[in-house]
Amino acid sequence: MILDNRGLEPPQPMMRTLSALEDLNAKEALVIINDRRPMFLFAELDELGHHYETEEQGDGSFRITITKSGE
């Protein structure tokens, strides 16, 4: 699943991402694309125990792959 959060103002990207994660099963992945590095989201993902990998794109956006933790 890919969630394109570009063009949205905070906190919309974080809210959309966390909502989409709730719909996933454990170990499933969600890819998000954000205009900026989502520092507050990273703190929340760490707290929830989800794994994520970040790739900065050529246009300055960020592609983050989030794997939902096992429950």
Side-chain angles (χ1 to χ4, degrees):
M1 175 178 185
I2 296 177
L3 188 62
D4 189 344
N5 291 323
R6 291 176 288 187
L8 299 175
E9 291 298 318
Q12 289 296 343
M14 182 169 161
M15 292 171 58
R16 289 182 76 213
T17 299
L18 293 175
S19 178
L21 280 171
E22 288 179 8
D23 294 337
L24 296 182
N25 295 317
K27 307 296 184 192
E28 286 186 324
L30 169 68
V31 174
I32 64 170
I33 304 170
N34 284 21
D35 290 320
R36 56 189 71 81
R37 187 181 300 271
M39 301 310 295
F40 293 112
L41 176 63
F42 291 156
E44 186 71 21
L45 295 175
D46 287 338
E47 186 174 312
L48 294 169
H50 301 317
H51 175 77
Y52 55 90
E53 296 178 11
T54 305
E55 300 172 53
E56 186 168 1
Q57 304 298 293
D59 64 358
S61 66
F62 291 86
R63 180 183 178 100
I64 299 105
T65 302
I66 304 165
T67 304
K68 188 170 182 176
S69 64
E71 297 172 337

